[in-house]
Amino acid sequence: MSKLLSYLRFSATLLCLLLLAACQTMGGPGLIQSAVTAELSPNAASSIAADMVERLAEHVGPGSTTIALRGDDAVFGPALEASLRDKGYAVVTDQATDGAAVEPLAYSVDPFEGGVLVRISTLKVELTRMYTLGTTGANGAAGAVPASPLSVMQRRSVDRS
Protein backbone atom coordinates (compact mmCIF):
# COMPACT_ATOMS: atom_id res chain seq x y z
CA MET A 1 0.00 0.00 0.00
CA SER A 2 2.83 2.44 0.83
CA LYS A 3 4.49 1.72 -2.53
CA LEU A 4 1.24 2.56 -4.30
CA LEU A 5 0.89 5.78 -2.29
CA SER A 6 4.49 6.76 -3.08
CA TYR A 7 3.92 6.03 -6.76
CA LEU A 8 0.74 8.18 -6.78
CA ARG A 9 2.53 11.10 -5.06
CA PHE A 10 5.41 10.87 -7.50
CA SER A 11 3.00 10.76 -10.46
CA ALA A 12 1.01 13.73 -9.14
CA THR A 13 4.19 15.75 -8.58
CA LEU A 14 5.48 14.91 -12.04
CA LEU A 15 2.15 15.88 -13.62
CA CYS A 16 2.19 19.25 -11.80
CA LEU A 17 5.74 19.95 -12.93
CA LEU A 18 4.88 19.09 -16.54
CA LEU A 19 1.87 21.39 -16.46
CA LEU A 20 3.94 24.24 -15.04
CA ALA A 21 6.61 23.70 -17.67
CA ALA A 22 3.97 23.75 -20.41
CA CYS A 23 2.65 27.07 -19.12
CA GLN A 24 6.13 28.57 -19.36
CA THR A 25 6.75 27.41 -22.93
CA MET A 26 3.39 27.96 -24.60
CA GLY A 27 3.56 30.73 -27.17
CA GLY A 28 5.71 33.79 -27.11
CA PRO A 29 5.22 37.12 -25.45
CA GLY A 30 1.84 38.43 -26.45
CA LEU A 31 0.01 41.69 -26.36
CA ILE A 32 -2.34 42.80 -23.68
CA GLN A 33 -6.04 42.76 -24.48
CA SER A 34 -7.17 46.25 -25.52
CA ALA A 35 -9.66 47.58 -23.01
CA VAL A 36 -10.77 50.88 -21.52
CA THR A 37 -12.48 50.57 -18.14
CA ALA A 38 -11.93 54.18 -17.02
CA GLU A 39 -14.24 57.00 -18.04
CA LEU A 40 -12.34 59.55 -20.10
CA SER A 41 -13.37 62.86 -21.59
CA PRO A 42 -12.32 63.34 -25.22
CA ASN A 43 -9.80 65.97 -24.07
CA ALA A 44 -8.29 63.63 -21.45
CA ALA A 45 -8.10 60.80 -24.00
CA SER A 46 -6.35 63.10 -26.49
CA SER A 47 -3.78 64.39 -23.99
CA ILE A 48 -2.99 60.86 -22.74
CA ALA A 49 -2.75 59.50 -26.29
CA ALA A 50 -0.45 62.34 -27.38
CA ASP A 51 1.88 61.78 -24.43
CA MET A 52 2.01 58.00 -24.85
CA VAL A 53 2.62 58.25 -28.60
CA GLU A 54 5.45 60.73 -27.97
CA ARG A 55 7.05 58.17 -25.63
CA LEU A 56 6.38 55.31 -28.08
CA ALA A 57 8.24 57.19 -30.81
CA GLU A 58 11.39 56.95 -28.66
CA HIS A 59 11.26 53.14 -29.00
CA VAL A 60 9.38 52.38 -32.23
CA GLY A 61 10.10 55.15 -34.71
CA PRO A 62 7.42 56.51 -37.01
CA GLY A 63 7.92 56.09 -40.74
CA SER A 64 9.58 52.69 -40.43
CA THR A 65 6.63 50.57 -39.33
CA THR A 66 2.91 50.34 -39.91
CA ILE A 67 0.98 50.18 -36.63
CA ALA A 68 -1.91 47.69 -36.51
CA LEU A 69 -4.17 49.20 -33.86
CA ARG A 70 -6.16 46.72 -31.78
CA GLY A 71 -9.19 47.92 -29.87
CA ASP A 72 -12.43 49.64 -30.64
CA ASP A 73 -13.57 51.79 -27.73
CA ALA A 74 -15.33 55.04 -28.60
CA VAL A 75 -13.02 57.61 -26.96
CA PHE A 76 -9.43 56.45 -26.42
CA GLY A 77 -9.02 54.35 -29.60
CA PRO A 78 -9.78 57.21 -32.00
CA ALA A 79 -7.63 59.62 -29.95
CA LEU A 80 -4.73 57.14 -30.06
CA GLU A 81 -5.15 56.60 -33.80
CA ALA A 82 -5.18 60.37 -34.43
CA SER A 83 -2.05 60.88 -32.28
CA LEU A 84 -0.23 58.06 -34.09
CA ARG A 85 -1.08 59.57 -37.49
CA ASP A 86 -0.09 63.08 -36.32
CA LYS A 87 3.30 61.70 -35.24
CA GLY A 88 3.86 60.16 -38.67
CA TYR A 89 2.88 56.53 -38.17
CA ALA A 90 0.96 54.60 -40.80
CA VAL A 91 -2.02 53.05 -39.00
CA VAL A 92 -4.26 50.18 -40.02
CA THR A 93 -7.19 48.84 -38.06
CA ASP A 94 -9.09 46.21 -40.06
CA GLN A 95 -7.31 46.45 -43.39
CA ALA A 96 -5.15 43.75 -44.92
CA THR A 97 -1.47 44.69 -44.82
CA ASP A 98 -0.21 42.61 -47.78
CA GLY A 99 3.21 41.74 -46.39
CA ALA A 100 4.07 45.17 -45.00
CA ALA A 101 6.11 45.39 -41.81
CA VAL A 102 3.32 45.66 -39.24
CA GLU A 103 3.69 46.22 -35.51
CA PRO A 104 0.50 45.31 -33.60
CA LEU A 105 -0.36 47.75 -30.82
CA ALA A 106 -2.83 47.24 -27.97
CA TYR A 107 -3.75 49.44 -25.02
CA SER A 108 -5.49 49.48 -21.68
CA VAL A 109 -6.82 52.37 -19.62
CA ASP A 110 -7.94 51.43 -16.11
CA PRO A 111 -8.96 53.44 -13.04
CA PHE A 112 -6.32 53.24 -10.31
CA GLU A 113 -5.96 55.13 -7.02
CA GLY A 114 -7.85 58.24 -8.10
CA GLY A 115 -6.33 58.41 -11.59
CA VAL A 116 -5.93 56.16 -14.60
CA LEU A 117 -3.24 53.63 -15.40
CA VAL A 118 -2.46 53.50 -19.11
CA ARG A 119 -0.53 50.78 -20.96
CA ILE A 120 0.50 50.77 -24.59
CA SER A 121 1.87 47.43 -25.75
CA THR A 122 3.68 46.31 -28.90
CA LEU A 123 5.74 43.19 -29.54
CA LYS A 124 8.89 45.28 -28.95
CA VAL A 125 7.99 47.41 -25.94
CA GLU A 126 5.35 48.00 -23.30
CA LEU A 127 4.87 51.49 -21.86
CA THR A 128 2.94 52.18 -18.65
CA ARG A 129 2.14 55.48 -16.96
CA MET A 130 -0.28 56.85 -14.38
CA TYR A 131 -2.32 59.99 -15.17
CA THR A 132 -4.37 62.36 -13.05
CA LEU A 133 -7.68 63.36 -14.63
CA GLY A 134 -9.64 66.58 -14.31
CA THR A 135 -6.94 69.20 -14.84
CA THR A 136 -8.23 72.15 -16.81
CA GLY A 137 -6.51 72.99 -20.05
CA ALA A 138 -6.23 76.32 -21.84
CA ASN A 139 -9.66 75.89 -23.43
CA GLY A 140 -11.33 75.06 -20.09
CA ALA A 141 -11.84 71.37 -20.94
CA ALA A 142 -10.87 68.68 -18.44
CA GLY A 143 -7.68 66.89 -19.49
CA ALA A 144 -5.05 64.65 -17.97
CA VAL A 145 -1.46 65.08 -16.79
CA PRO A 146 1.20 62.44 -16.08
CA ALA A 147 1.28 61.51 -12.39
CA SER A 148 4.18 59.03 -12.54
CA PRO A 149 7.37 58.39 -14.44
CA LEU A 150 7.09 56.30 -17.57
CA SER A 151 7.68 52.57 -17.07
CA VAL A 152 9.32 50.91 -20.08
CA MET A 153 9.53 47.16 -20.55
CA GLN A 154 11.67 46.15 -23.53
CA ARG A 155 10.83 42.81 -25.07
CA ARG A 156 13.64 40.72 -26.43
CA SER A 157 13.12 39.40 -29.90
CA VAL A 158 13.74 35.69 -30.12
CA ASP A 159 15.33 34.36 -33.28
CA ARG A 160 13.78 30.96 -33.88
CA SER A 161 15.58 30.11 -37.11
Side-chain angles (χ1 to χ4, degrees):
M1 181 74 163
S2 68
K3 280 189 173 189
L4 179 61
L5 202 52
S6 294
Y7 176 74
L8 289 174
R9 280 189 201 147
F10 175 76
S11 296
T13 303
L14 185 60
L15 178 63
C16 288
L17 289 174
L18 287 173
L19 289 173
L20 285 173
C23 288
Q24 294 297 316
T25 59
M26 286 179 63
L31 293 180
I32 59 174
Q33 181 71 29
S34 289
V36 175
T37 59
E39 292 204 25
L40 296 175
S41 68
N43 193 41
S46 293
S47 60
I48 291 170
D51 181 57
M52 291 300 280
V53 168
E54 188 68 32
R55 304 289 82 75
L56 179 67
E58 298 167 2
H59 302 279
V60 180
S64 61
T65 305
T66 298
I67 298 291
L69 191 58
R70 295 180 174 186
D72 60 356
D73 73 288
V75 178
F76 189 72
L80 185 59
E81 182 177 353
S83 291
L84 286 164
R85 290 183 191 281
D86 288 347
K87 190 68 178 172
Y89 289 96
V91 180
V92 296
T93 51
D94 297 354
Q95 303 92 335
T97 56
D98 296 330
V102 175
E103 183 72 27
L105 184 142
Y107 55 85
S108 71
V109 182
D110 300 303
F112 185 74
E113 295 187 0
V116 292
L117 186 65
V118 179
R119 281 195 304 168
I120 302 289
S121 180
T122 72
L123 296 176
K124 296 177 182 173
V125 67
E126 185 167 296
L127 308 175
T128 306
R129 187 173 234 179
M130 181 79 175
Y131 291 86
T132 301
L133 298 178
T135 58
T136 303
N139 62 1
V145 294
S148 74
L150 182 72
S151 171
V152 179
M153 182 181 73
Q154 295 282 340
R155 299 179 197 258
R156 290 189 304 164
S157 59
V158 178
D159 185 14
R160 297 184 185 222
S161 55

